[in-house]
Amino acid sequence: MSQENIAAGSIEGVVTSFVQSKGYGFINGDDGERYFVHVNEVQGDQRLVTGQRVTFEPTPSPKGSKAKRVVPDLGPIPIYVEPDSFIWSKGGPPRGMEAVLITGTGWGKANDPNEARQILINEARKFGANAVLNVTMDKWTEGQLLSNYCSTMHRYSGEFAVVKVVSTSSDPEVIAQAEQEMQALTDWWNNRHVRPENPWVQSAGETHPIEPAKVKLLLGSIFSRAWTFLKFLGLSVLNLGRQAFKNRR
C-alpha cells in the first residue's frame, strides 16, 4: 500500500459497497464503525471495489461518519490456484480455469473403457500434468487369436496439460505462495529431462483381453492338436502303404 498522502490518525478498513455510477459507497473501518465515502475523497485515479482494503481519515459529520483522504490498497490481483481434482475434458479447460502448460499427448487402450481412461490419466501424471484436454474416444470390435470370441476395444486420446484455477487475492502470503508455485512449474519445465524419443507423441500403453496364462493354455492346446493330427496322418499313410503292398501281391 502506498504511504503517500496518509495522514496521522488514519485507520484502515474494507470497502463493503461502492456504486461506480453514483460515485459513493461505504467502508467498514477496523475500529468497528461504518463510514460513508465519496469518489472525490479517493486519492489518485484508482477506483474502489468491494472487498478492497483502504486507509482513510475518519471524520465525523451531522449525517454520520465519513471517510476522508482515502488511499486504496492495490486490491485483489489475479493468481493461479491448483484445482481440487484431476481435470478430464472433451474440450479445453473448464470455465474459470486456464491451461498454463501443455506437456505432451498420449492414448490409453483397453477393452474396459474405465481402464482405458485410467491408463491415460496415469500416463498424463507421468508427464507432470493434472489434466487431459480435448479427449476423443475410438471404439471397435477386435477378435482374439484362434478364437471366435470378440471384444469391444476402447481407446482414449488427448493432450496432457497443467491446468490452474484463475482466482484473485489480496493476501500477500497467498499471492506469494501462488507465485512460488508458478515459478516452480516454470523451473521444472525448463530443467526437465527430455526423452530421446519425441515427447509430444507418446502411447499411454494398452491392456489385452488375452492374459499371459491364457496364451500359454492356447499354445499348449495348439501343440496337442497338431501332434494328434500328425499321428493320425502318419497312421493313414502307413495304412495306405500296407494296402498298396497287398494289392501288388
Side-chain angles (χ1 to χ4, degrees):
M1 179 180 296
S2 173
Q3 298 299 314
E4 296 180 2
N5 300 323
I6 297 179
S10 295
I11 65 172
E12 293 187 9
V14 177
V15 178
T16 56
S17 64
F18 195 84
V19 182
Q20 300 291 345
S21 60
K22 296 183 178 180
Y24 67 81
F26 293 92
I27 298 172
N28 279 352
D30 290 350
D31 60 353
E33 293 289 332
R34 188 166 184 259
Y35 296 86
F36 174 85
V37 57
H38 193 273
V39 66
N40 292 338
E41 296 296 336
V42 181
Q43 305 295 296
D45 298 327
Q46 300 184 57
R47 301 171 62 184
L48 298 184
V49 295
T50 301
Q52 187 176 29
R53 289 197 64 82
V54 295
T55 300
F56 62 96
E57 292 181 28
T59 306
S61 74
K63 294 184 178 181
S65 300
K66 291 185 178 181
K68 299 284 188 178
R69 299 186 63 182
V70 179
V71 180
D73 196 348
L74 295 177
I77 65 172
I79 60 172
Y80 288 122
V81 181
E82 188 73 13
D84 295 331
S85 58
F86 193 92
I87 306 300
W88 179 275
S89 173
K90 294 181 180 179
R95 180 176 298 180
M97 299 186 186
E98 183 178 326
V100 298
L101 185 64
I102 301 296
T103 64
T105 61
W107 55 267
K109 172 187 170 185
N111 59 330
D112 182 348
N114 292 325
E115 186 176 355
R117 172 177 171 144
Q118 192 59 50
I119 289 172
L120 186 56
I121 290 175
N122 292 342
E123 190 69 7
R125 286 177 170 147
K126 292 179 184 178
F127 279 74
N130 66 352
V132 179
L133 306 179
N134 301 311
V135 176
T136 59
M137 194 268 282
D138 297 316
K139 184 169 66 173
W140 68 94
T141 301
E142 188 174 284
Q144 294 187 14
L145 181 65
L146 301 176
S147 173
N148 293 327
Y149 177 76
C150 294
S151 60
T152 301
M153 303 302 297
H154 301 80
R155 183 171 70 177
Y156 286 106
S157 304
E159 291 180 328
F160 302 152
V162 177
V163 169
K164 297 284 187 177
V165 177
V166 181
S167 184
T168 60
S169 178
S170 299
D171 188 331
E173 294 185 2
V174 173
I175 295 171
Q177 179 65 30
E179 291 177 348
Q180 290 174 6
E181 291 177 357
M182 287 301 298
Q183 186 60 51
L185 177 63
T186 301
D187 293 342
W188 167 78
W189 180 250
N190 291 335
N191 299 321
R192 72 195 187 286
H193 174 67
V194 180
R195 300 183 182 184
E197 64 271 16
N198 183 0
W200 300 99
V201 181
Q202 290 288 330
S203 64
E206 59 183 271
T207 59
H208 301 277
I210 304 178
E211 299 174 359
K214 293 182 180 180
V215 172
K216 293 180 180 180
L217 181 62
L218 284 173
L219 291 177
S221 176
I222 293 171
F223 178 79
S224 176
R225 292 179 182 179
W227 178 248
T228 302
F229 173 76
L230 289 175
K231 287 174 62 179
F232 176 78
L233 181 62
L235 291 174
S236 298
V237 171
L238 181 60
N239 289 332
L240 288 174
R242 290 175 177 175
Q243 187 65 35
F245 178 76
K246 290 180 179 180
N247 292 338
R248 289 180 180 178
R249 295 179 61 185

